[in-house]
Every structure is written in C-alpha cells, then in structure tokens.
Coordinates of all heavy atoms in Angstrom, one line a residue:
M27 N 8.4 15.3 -9.5 CA 9.2 14.5 -10.2 C 10.0 15.2 -11.4 O 9.2 15.9 -12.1 CB 8.7 13.2 -10.8 CG 9.5 12.2 -11.6 SD 8.6 10.9 -12.3 CE 8.0 11.9 -13.8
I28 N 11.3 15.2 -11.5 CA 12.0 16.0 -12.6 C 11.8 15.2 -13.8 O 12.1 14.0 -13.9 CB 13.4 16.2 -12.2 CG1 13.6 17.1 -10.9 CG2 14.2 16.7 -13.4 CD1 13.2 18.5 -11.1
V29 N 11.5 15.8 -14.8 CA 11.2 15.2 -16.2 C 12.4 15.5 -17.0 O 13.0 14.8 -17.7 CB 10.0 15.8 -16.9 CG1 9.8 15.3 -18.3 CG2 8.7 15.4 -16.2
C30 N 12.8 16.8 -17.0 CA 14.0 17.2 -17.9 C 15.1 17.6 -16.8 O 15.1 18.5 -16.2 CB 13.6 18.4 -18.6 SG 14.9 19.1 -19.7
L31 N 16.1 16.6 -16.8 CA 17.2 16.8 -15.9 C 18.1 18.1 -16.5 O 18.6 18.8 -15.6 CB 18.2 15.5 -16.0 CG 17.5 14.4 -15.3 CD1 18.3 13.1 -15.5 CD2 17.3 14.7 -13.8
C32 N 18.3 18.2 -17.8 CA 19.1 19.2 -18.3 C 18.6 20.6 -17.8 O 19.6 21.4 -17.5 CB 19.1 19.3 -19.7 SG 19.9 17.7 -20.5
K33 N 17.4 20.8 -17.8 CA 16.9 22.0 -17.5 C 16.1 22.1 -16.2 O 15.7 23.2 -15.7 CB 15.9 22.6 -18.5 CG 16.5 22.7 -19.9 CD 17.5 23.8 -19.9 CE 18.2 23.9 -21.3 NZ 19.3 24.8 -21.4
G34 N 16.1 21.0 -15.4 CA 15.6 20.9 -14.1 C 14.1 21.3 -14.1 O 13.5 21.8 -13.3
V35 N 13.4 20.7 -15.1 CA 12.0 20.9 -15.2 C 11.1 19.7 -14.6 O 11.4 18.6 -15.0 CB 11.6 21.2 -16.6 CG1 10.0 21.4 -16.9 CG2 12.4 22.3 -17.2
S36 N 10.2 20.0 -13.8 CA 9.4 19.1 -13.2 C 8.2 18.6 -14.1 O 7.7 19.4 -15.0 CB 9.0 19.3 -11.8 OG 8.0 20.5 -11.9
D37 N 7.4 17.5 -13.7 CA 6.3 17.1 -14.3 C 5.2 18.2 -14.2 O 4.3 18.5 -15.0 CB 5.8 15.8 -13.9 CG 5.7 15.6 -12.5 OD1 6.3 16.4 -11.6 OD2 4.9 14.7 -11.9
R38 N 5.2 18.9 -12.9 CA 4.3 20.1 -12.8 C 4.4 21.0 -13.6 O 3.6 21.7 -14.1 CB 4.5 20.5 -11.2 CG 3.8 19.6 -10.2 CD 4.4 20.3 -8.9 NE 3.6 19.6 -7.8 CZ 3.1 20.1 -6.7 NH1 3.2 21.4 -6.7 NH2 2.4 19.5 -5.9
D39 N 5.8 21.5 -14.0 CA 6.0 22.5 -14.8 C 5.6 22.1 -16.2 O 5.0 23.1 -17.0 CB 7.6 22.8 -14.9 CG 8.1 23.2 -13.6 OD1 7.5 23.9 -12.7 OD2 9.3 22.8 -13.4
V40 N 5.7 20.9 -16.6 CA 5.3 20.4 -18.0 C 3.7 20.6 -18.0 O 3.2 21.1 -19.0 CB 5.8 19.1 -18.4 CG1 5.2 18.6 -19.7 CG2 7.3 19.1 -18.4
H41 N 3.1 20.1 -17.0 CA 1.5 20.1 -17.0 C 1.1 21.7 -17.0 O 0.1 21.8 -17.6 CB 1.1 19.4 -15.7 CG 1.0 17.9 -15.9 ND1 0.4 17.4 -16.9 CD2 1.5 16.9 -15.2 CE1 0.4 16.0 -16.7 NE2 1.2 15.8 -15.8
A42 N 1.8 22.5 -16.2 CA 1.5 23.8 -16.3 C 1.6 24.4 -17.6 O 0.8 25.3 -18.1 CB 2.4 24.7 -15.3
A43 N 2.7 24.1 -18.4 CA 2.9 24.5 -19.6 C 1.8 24.0 -20.7 O 1.2 24.8 -21.5 CB 4.3 24.0 -20.2
I44 N 1.4 22.8 -20.5 CA 0.2 22.4 -21.2 C -1.1 23.0 -20.8 O -1.9 23.5 -21.7 CB 0.1 20.8 -21.0 CG1 1.4 20.0 -21.4 CG2 -1.2 20.2 -21.8 CD1 1.4 18.5 -21.1
D45 N -1.3 23.2 -19.6 CA -2.5 24.0 -19.1 C -2.6 25.4 -19.8 O -3.5 25.9 -20.0 CB -2.6 24.1 -17.7 CG -3.0 22.8 -17.1 OD1 -3.5 21.8 -17.8 OD2 -2.7 22.4 -15.9
Q46 N -1.4 26.0 -19.9 CA -1.2 27.3 -20.5 C -1.3 27.4 -22.0 O -1.2 28.5 -22.6 CB 0.1 28.0 -20.0 CG 0.1 28.4 -18.6 CD 1.5 28.6 -18.0 OE1 2.3 29.0 -18.8 NE2 1.7 28.4 -16.8
G47 N -1.5 26.3 -22.7 CA -1.8 26.2 -24.1 C -0.8 25.4 -24.9 O -1.0 25.4 -26.1
S48 N 0.3 24.9 -24.4 CA 1.3 24.2 -25.1 C 0.6 23.0 -25.6 O 0.0 22.2 -25.0 CB 2.5 23.8 -24.3 OG 3.1 25.0 -23.9
R49 N 0.7 22.8 -27.0 CA 0.2 21.6 -27.8 C 1.2 20.7 -28.4 O 0.8 19.6 -28.8 CB -0.8 22.1 -28.8 CG -2.2 22.8 -28.2 CD -3.0 21.8 -27.4 NE -4.1 22.3 -26.7 CZ -4.0 22.8 -25.3 NH1 -2.9 22.5 -24.6 NH2 -5.0 23.2 -24.8
T50 N 2.4 21.1 -28.4 CA 3.4 20.3 -28.9 C 4.7 20.4 -28.1 O 4.8 21.1 -27.2 CB 3.8 20.8 -30.4 OG1 4.5 22.1 -30.2 CG2 2.7 21.0 -31.3
V51 N 5.6 19.4 -28.4 CA 6.8 19.4 -27.6 C 7.5 20.7 -27.8 O 8.2 21.1 -26.8 CB 7.7 18.2 -28.1 CG1 9.1 18.2 -27.5 CG2 7.1 16.8 -27.7
R52 N 7.5 21.3 -28.8 CA 8.2 22.4 -29.2 C 7.6 23.6 -28.3 O 8.2 24.4 -27.7 CB 8.3 22.9 -30.6 CG 9.2 24.0 -30.8 CD 9.2 24.2 -32.4 NE 9.8 23.2 -33.0 CZ 10.3 23.3 -34.3 NH1 10.1 24.4 -35.0 NH2 10.9 22.2 -34.8
D53 N 6.2 23.6 -28.2 CA 5.5 24.6 -27.4 C 6.0 24.5 -25.9 O 6.3 25.5 -25.2 CB 4.1 24.4 -27.4 CG 3.3 24.7 -28.8 OD1 4.0 25.4 -29.5 OD2 2.2 24.3 -28.9
V54 N 6.0 23.2 -25.5 CA 6.4 22.9 -24.0 C 7.8 23.5 -23.8 O 8.1 24.2 -22.8 CB 6.2 21.6 -23.6 CG1 6.8 21.1 -22.3 CG2 4.8 21.0 -23.7
G55 N 8.7 23.3 -24.6 CA 10.0 23.7 -24.7 C 10.1 25.2 -24.5 O 11.0 25.8 -23.9
R56 N 9.3 25.9 -25.4 CA 9.4 27.4 -25.4 C 8.9 27.9 -24.1 O 9.3 28.9 -23.7 CB 8.4 27.9 -26.6 CG 9.1 28.2 -27.8 CD 8.3 29.0 -28.7 NE 7.2 28.5 -29.1 CZ 7.0 27.8 -30.3 NH1 8.0 27.9 -31.2 NH2 6.0 27.1 -30.5
C57 N 7.9 27.1 -23.4 CA 7.2 27.7 -22.2 C 8.1 27.4 -21.0 O 8.2 28.3 -20.1 CB 5.9 26.9 -22.1 SG 4.8 27.6 -20.9
C58 N 8.6 26.0 -20.9 CA 9.4 25.9 -19.6 C 10.8 25.3 -19.9 O 11.4 24.9 -18.9 CB 8.5 24.9 -18.8 SG 8.4 23.2 -19.5
R59 N 11.2 25.2 -21.2 CA 12.5 24.8 -21.6 C 12.7 23.2 -21.5 O 13.9 22.9 -21.8 CB 13.5 25.7 -20.7 CG 13.3 27.0 -20.8 CD 14.4 27.8 -20.3 NE 15.6 27.7 -21.1 CZ 16.9 27.8 -20.7 NH1 17.1 28.2 -19.4 NH2 17.9 27.6 -21.6
A60 N 11.7 22.5 -21.1 CA 11.8 21.0 -21.2 C 12.2 20.5 -22.6 O 11.6 21.0 -23.5 CB 10.8 20.3 -20.6
G61 N 13.1 19.6 -22.8 CA 13.5 19.1 -24.1 C 14.3 19.9 -25.0 O 14.4 19.6 -26.1
T62 N 14.8 21.1 -24.5 CA 15.6 22.0 -25.3 C 17.1 21.9 -25.3 O 17.8 22.6 -25.9 CB 15.3 23.4 -25.0 OG1 15.6 23.8 -23.6 CG2 13.7 23.7 -25.2
D63 N 17.6 20.8 -24.6 CA 18.9 20.5 -24.5 C 19.2 19.1 -25.2 O 19.2 19.0 -26.4 CB 19.3 20.6 -23.1 CG 21.0 20.9 -23.0 OD1 21.6 20.4 -24.0 OD2 21.3 21.7 -22.1
C64 N 19.4 18.0 -24.3 CA 19.8 16.7 -24.9 C 18.7 16.1 -25.7 O 19.1 15.2 -26.4 CB 20.5 15.9 -23.8 SG 19.3 15.2 -22.9
G65 N 17.6 16.4 -25.2 CA 16.3 15.8 -25.9 C 15.9 14.4 -25.4 O 15.0 13.7 -25.7
A66 N 16.6 13.9 -24.2 CA 16.4 12.6 -23.7 C 14.9 12.7 -23.1 O 14.3 11.6 -22.9 CB 17.3 12.2 -22.5
C67 N 14.3 13.7 -22.7 CA 13.0 13.9 -22.0 C 11.9 14.0 -23.1 O 10.7 14.1 -22.7 CB 13.0 15.0 -21.1 SG 13.3 16.7 -21.7
V68 N 12.2 14.2 -24.3 CA 11.2 14.5 -25.2 C 10.1 13.5 -25.4 O 8.9 13.7 -25.4 CB 11.8 14.7 -26.7 CG1 10.8 14.7 -27.8 CG2 12.6 16.1 -26.7
S69 N 10.4 12.2 -25.3 CA 9.5 11.2 -25.2 C 8.6 11.3 -24.0 O 7.3 11.0 -24.1 CB 10.0 9.7 -25.4 OG 10.7 9.5 -24.4
A70 N 9.1 11.6 -22.9 CA 8.3 11.9 -21.7 C 7.3 12.9 -21.8 O 6.1 12.9 -21.5 CB 9.2 11.9 -20.5
V71 N 7.9 14.0 -22.4 CA 7.0 15.3 -22.6 C 5.9 14.9 -23.6 O 4.7 15.1 -23.5 CB 7.8 16.4 -23.1 CG1 6.9 17.6 -23.6 CG2 8.8 16.9 -22.0
R72 N 6.2 14.1 -24.6 CA 5.2 13.7 -25.7 C 4.2 12.8 -25.0 O 3.0 13.1 -25.3 CB 5.9 13.0 -26.8 CG 5.0 12.9 -28.0 CD 5.7 12.1 -29.2 NE 6.8 13.2 -29.8 CZ 8.0 12.8 -30.0 NH1 8.5 11.6 -29.7 NH2 8.9 13.7 -30.4
D73 N 4.5 12.0 -24.2 CA 3.6 11.1 -23.5 C 2.7 12.0 -22.6 O 1.4 11.6 -22.6 CB 4.3 10.2 -22.5 CG 4.9 8.9 -23.3 OD1 4.8 8.8 -24.5 OD2 5.6 8.1 -22.7
M74 N 3.2 12.8 -21.9 CA 2.4 13.8 -21.1 C 1.3 14.6 -22.0 O 0.3 14.8 -21.6 CB 3.2 14.7 -20.3 CG 4.0 13.9 -19.3 SD 5.4 15.0 -18.6 CE 4.4 15.8 -17.4
L75 N 1.8 15.1 -23.1 CA 0.9 15.8 -24.0 C -0.2 14.9 -24.6 O -1.4 15.3 -24.6 CB 1.6 16.4 -25.2 CG 2.5 17.6 -25.0 CD1 3.6 17.8 -26.1 CD2 1.5 18.9 -25.0
Q76 N 0.1 13.7 -24.8 CA -0.8 12.7 -25.3 C -1.9 12.3 -24.3 O -3.1 12.2 -24.6 CB -0.2 11.3 -25.9 CG 0.2 11.7 -27.4 CD 1.1 10.5 -27.9 OE1 1.5 9.7 -27.1 NE2 1.6 10.7 -29.0
R77 N -1.4 12.2 -23.1 CA -2.3 11.7 -22.0 C -3.3 12.9 -21.8 O -4.5 12.7 -21.5 CB -1.5 11.5 -20.7 CG -1.5 10.0 -20.2 CD -0.7 9.5 -19.3 NE 0.7 9.4 -19.6 CZ 1.8 9.8 -19.0 NH1 1.7 10.4 -17.7 NH2 3.0 9.4 -19.3
K78 N -2.6 14.1 -21.7 CA -3.6 15.2 -21.5 C -4.5 15.4 -22.5 O -5.7 15.7 -22.2 CB -2.6 16.5 -21.3 CG -3.4 17.7 -20.7 CD -3.1 17.6 -19.3 CE -3.5 18.9 -18.5 NZ -3.3 18.9 -17.1
R79 N -4.2 15.2 -23.8 CA -5.1 15.4 -24.9 C -6.2 14.4 -24.9 O -7.3 14.7 -25.2 CB -4.3 15.2 -26.2 CG -4.7 16.1 -27.3 CD -3.7 15.9 -28.5 NE -2.5 16.6 -28.4 CZ -1.3 16.2 -28.9 NH1 -1.3 15.1 -29.7 NH2 -0.3 16.8 -28.8
S80 N -5.8 13.1 -24.3 CA -6.9 12.1 -24.4 C -7.8 12.3 -23.4 O -9.1 12.0 -23.4 CB -6.3 10.7 -24.3 OG -5.5 10.7 -23.2
R81 N -7.4 13.1 -22.3 CA -8.3 13.4 -21.2 C -9.2 14.6 -21.7 O -10.4 14.7 -21.2 CB -7.6 13.6 -19.9 CG -7.8 12.5 -19.0 CD -7.0 12.8 -17.6 NE -5.8 12.1 -17.6 CZ -4.7 12.5 -17.1 NH1 -4.6 13.6 -16.4 NH2 -3.6 11.7 -17.2
N82 N -8.6 15.6 -22.3 CA -9.3 16.8 -22.6 C -9.4 16.9 -24.2 O -8.6 17.8 -24.7 CB -8.6 18.0 -22.1 CG -8.5 18.0 -20.6 OD1 -9.5 17.5 -19.9 ND2 -7.4 18.3 -20.1
P83 N -10.0 16.1 -25.0 CA -9.9 16.2 -26.4 C -10.4 17.6 -26.9 O -11.3 18.2 -26.1 CB -11.0 15.2 -26.9 CG -11.7 14.8 -25.6 CD -11.1 15.1 -24.5
P84 N -9.8 18.1 -27.9 CA -10.3 19.5 -28.4 C -11.6 19.4 -28.8 O -12.3 18.4 -29.2 CB -9.4 19.6 -29.7 CG -8.5 18.4 -29.8 CD -8.7 17.5 -28.7
A85 N -12.4 20.5 -28.5 CA -13.8 20.6 -28.8 C -14.1 20.4 -30.2 O -15.2 19.8 -30.5 CB -14.4 22.0 -28.4
S86 N -13.3 20.7 -31.2 CA -13.6 20.5 -32.5 C -13.4 19.0 -32.9 O -14.2 18.6 -34.0 CB -12.8 21.2 -33.5 OG -11.4 20.9 -33.2
G87 N -12.7 18.2 -32.2 CA -12.5 16.9 -32.6 C -13.1 15.9 -31.7 O -13.2 14.7 -32.0
Ligands
FES112 S1 16.7 15.9 -20.2 FE1 15.4 17.4 -21.1 S2 16.7 18.3 -22.6 FE2 18.0 16.8 -21.6

C-alpha cells in the first residue's frame, strides 16, 4: 500500500526505514523520503512509528 503519494513510498518502505533505525517522522523522511513533500502522509508515518514502538519498546524504557 502506498503511504506517501508524493514520493511513491509504500508502507513496506516506511517499515524498512523504521527497522533501519528511523525513530522520528524526520528520520523516516531522510531514509525513504516519505513526508518530505506535501506532508499529507505525516500522520500515517507517525502512526506507524508509534505502532512499531509500542510493539518493540526501547530497552531502556
Ligand atoms: S503524500 Fe507524503 S509528502 Fe505528500
């Protein structure tokens, strides 16, 4: 499924960016360019980050 229409970034690409260490919407944008144009997909990217974080909480927290 395409998450970011502007850059043609799929949910798989965003998940891959998160798996590679992206922790913020800005990180994801740097990694796969999602959210770096109109910004309409930023809330979807943020949701994905939050879901991933709640499944894999950081070791320190
Ligand atoms: S839809 Fe992602 S930046 Fe426009």
Side-chain angles (χ1 to χ4, degrees):
M27 181 186 83
I28 296 293
V29 173
C30 178
L31 290 173
C32 292
K33 301 296 181 185
V35 180
S36 71
D37 54 344
R38 281 174 172 223
D39 297 326
V40 174
H41 281 302
I44 296 170
D45 288 342
Q46 285 163 28
S48 297
R49 290 295 172 261
T50 65
V51 171
R52 192 175 288 197
D53 287 345
V54 171
R56 264 196 296 263
C57 194
C58 68
R59 307 191 69 206
T62 59
D63 201 323
C64 77
C67 60
V68 164
S69 63
V71 171
R72 193 174 294 132
D73 281 355
M74 292 168 79
L75 279 161
Q76 270 164 7
R77 247 175 280 145
K78 198 87 174 182
R79 219 178 281 148
S80 61
R81 246 178 266 151
N82 301 316
S86 59

